[in-house]
Amino acid sequence: MNDWPEGRDDAYGRGSARPQPEGVQRMRHIQRQPQQPPRPPQPVQPPRPQRPAGPVPTPGVPPQQAGAHDTYGGYDSGYNTGQVYGSPSGGAPGRPQGPGGPSGPGGPGRAPGPAPDWRKRIKVGSIVLVSALLVTSVSTYLWADSKVRREVDLSKVIERPKEGDCTTYLIVGSDSREGMSAEEKKKLHTGSAEGKRTDSMMILAKCSSGNTMISLPRDSDVEIPSFVGSQSGKTFPAQGRRVKLNAAYAEDGPELLVRTVEHNTGLRIDHYAEIGFAGFANIVDALGGVELDIEQGFKDEKSGADFKAGRQTLNGEQSLAFVRTRYAFAESDLQRTKNQQKFLAALANQAATPSTILNPFALYPMLGAGLDTLIVDKDMGLYDMAQMFFAMKGVNGGDGVSMNIPISGQRGGNLVWDKAKVQQLVKQIQNDEKVTVRGN
């Protein structure tokens, strides 16, 4: 049975044995669109330049070799590479490829960047760090140097001994109440006496053979030599007057004190440093206290001292009471000078540590508290001050000795020095020899 419509050639759809190809046949199921009206004639355009034969190269797309399987009628289908032409990146127009695509990082469409130059980065970082440290150090130095009170002129001291091989400091603790309020005077048990006097004096000799700290009791029996007045400039001849050592300071200040110490010891003093009550207490408080081992407890109403034996941390008020107490001891001033040496060595040991020097939150308060009340000679710089503190720290660490100046007896309540031992001690310091003399 034939399903095809009548009138159709039985050969339709089943091939034909005719020698000529079939002609055009009408297909009833195809609907033709109505013809559009003819367009009006367009103006003649000048001929465009001819492009070379062959496919137009596309940026980012390598030229393709056409094969029989992907070309039909001279048209490249583009299916051989999977690329959609018309986009510079080979993808959809306006859309960059992802990380793994030709335009992504590390893809073939982007050249890899140069590797980081770590050596150069470390060098630049080091330069920046060193520059910052240098600026900070210079700023700190200038700030601290501007606060130092260089008020003592040692050039006014006459008839000076010869210079020795060691650097010597005369360190003075005065009872100056400068800048203290009435409440602070009461709290620190300083009294309200006018002026200032020396409360403690010691020689610090910084030597390559070892450092030596020598306390000079304030009650030492000494001779006032000839001197030039620090204010008047007038020359005062020697009169053979014998007084207590602290009287020289009270008579004409630091210059006469240095002159008297040099005359009675024969040792040249290179630098002078003095600090008052308030500065002393403020330095201790700025450090957060000073740790000290008190061998035997004692109490003194005049200085406000009240200590029990054992290791403890002293604040500024307690520290001042510790170094000023004299009436609680049988040896009076001699025991007090020993306590002063012990405390100053502990103070220097704590102040001259990396945790203080390298920490601006500890260094600046300490310098600010001490430099405002520290009085030094005109030739003493910050470097000399640092050397002084490190020398005191060395004594506390066993690199040297500490002693009272040798005493042979008393005269009218004054302590008389042992001249022979003093001369031997001075000679060893002048020649930078190991000190073998021991004092009281």
Side-chain angles (χ1 to χ4, degrees), residues 18 76 117 161 198 280 293 363 393-394 421:
R18 299 175 185 174
D76 188 350
D117 190 347
T198 53
F280 182 85
D293 187 8
L363 178 63
K393 179 181 179 180
K421 287 186 175 181

Side-chain angles (χ1 to χ4, degrees), residues 70-76:
D70 57 6
T71 303
Y72 179 78
Y75 171 73
D76 188 350

Side-chain angles (χ1 to χ4, degrees), residues 159-170:
E159 301 177 15
R160 310 197 67 185
K162 66 176 183 178
E163 293 186 3
D165 295 332
C166 301
T167 302
T168 55
Y169 301 84
L170 180 60

Side-chain angles (χ1 to χ4, degrees), residues 242-306:
R242 302 199 70 86
V243 297
K244 291 182 179 181
L245 181 59
N246 65 340
Y249 183 95
E251 185 172 335
D252 197 47
E255 288 85 359
L256 180 55
L257 177 61
V258 172
R259 167 72 174 131
T260 303
V261 169
E262 290 186 343
H263 174 75
N264 286 269
T265 62
L267 183 67
R268 186 184 181 97
I269 300 300
D270 297 313
H271 293 293
Y272 177 91
E274 174 191 329
I275 191 166
F277 283 163
F280 182 85
N282 290 339
I283 289 177
V284 174
D285 287 335
L287 285 172
V290 173
E291 187 177 2
L292 200 67
D293 187 8
I294 301 177
E295 298 177 359
Q296 184 176 358
F298 59 90
K299 187 174 182 179
D300 182 22
E301 292 182 359
K302 291 189 176 181
S303 67
D306 187 4

Side-chain angles (χ1 to χ4, degrees), residues 33-307:
Q33 297 295 332
Q35 292 184 354
Q36 298 294 331
R39 294 182 179 180
Q42 300 293 329
V44 179
Q45 299 292 336
R48 295 181 180 180
Q50 298 294 326
R51 291 185 299 178
V56 179
T58 304
V61 180
Q64 304 294 324
Q65 297 294 331
H69 60 282
D70 57 6
T71 303
Y72 179 78
Y75 171 73
D76 188 350
S77 65
Y79 290 151
N80 59 327
T81 61
Q83 304 293 335
V84 179
Y85 293 147
S87 172
S89 62
R95 294 185 181 180
Q97 292 292 325
S103 299
R110 178 178 178 181
D117 190 347
W118 291 107
R119 187 173 299 178
K120 182 178 180 181
R121 292 186 180 184
I122 293 175
K123 182 179 179 180
V124 172
S126 301
I127 293 175
V128 172
L129 178 60
V130 171
S131 299
L133 292 176
L134 182 61
V135 171
T136 302
S137 300
V138 172
S139 301
T140 300
Y141 180 89
L142 295 176
W143 169 79
D145 190 70
S146 66
K147 297 178 73 67
V148 176
R149 299 171 59 180
R150 296 183 175 89
E151 301 175 3
V152 180
D153 189 359
L154 295 184
S155 66
K156 296 179 180 180
V157 180
I158 62 174
E159 301 177 15
R160 310 197 67 185
K162 66 176 183 178
E163 293 186 3
D165 295 332
C166 301
T167 302
T168 55
Y169 301 84
L170 180 60
I171 303 173
V172 175
S174 74
D175 64 357
S176 171
R177 296 150 178 89
E178 179 182 358
M180 296 177 63
S181 64
E183 183 179 353
E184 289 174 327
K185 294 176 183 178
K186 182 179 180 180
K187 178 182 178 182
L188 298 176
H189 301 271
T190 63
S192 300
E194 297 296 329
K196 60 180 180 178
R197 288 150 292 277
T198 53
D199 202 62
S200 62
M201 293 161 284
M202 60 186 65
I203 296 173
L204 174 64
K206 181 181 178 299
C207 308
S208 60
S209 59
N211 303 321
T212 304
M213 187 180 292
I214 309 164
S215 287
L216 308 176
R218 58 182 291 179
D219 295 338
S220 297
D221 185 82
V222 296
E223 180 186 11
I224 297 293
S226 60
F227 67 96
V228 175
S230 60
Q231 300 298 326
S232 66
K234 181 181 177 180
T235 300
F236 296 88
Q239 300 176 357
R241 292 186 296 132
R242 302 199 70 86
V243 297
K244 291 182 179 181
L245 181 59
N246 65 340
Y249 183 95
E251 185 172 335
D252 197 47
E255 288 85 359
L256 180 55
L257 177 61
V258 172
R259 167 72 174 131
T260 303
V261 169
E262 290 186 343
H263 174 75
N264 286 269
T265 62
L267 183 67
R268 186 184 181 97
I269 300 300
D270 297 313
H271 293 293
Y272 177 91
E274 174 191 329
I275 191 166
F277 283 163
F280 182 85
N282 290 339
I283 289 177
V284 174
D285 287 335
L287 285 172
V290 173
E291 187 177 2
L292 200 67
D293 187 8
I294 301 177
E295 298 177 359
Q296 184 176 358
F298 59 90
K299 187 174 182 179
D300 182 22
E301 292 182 359
K302 291 189 176 181
S303 67
D306 187 4
F307 298 103

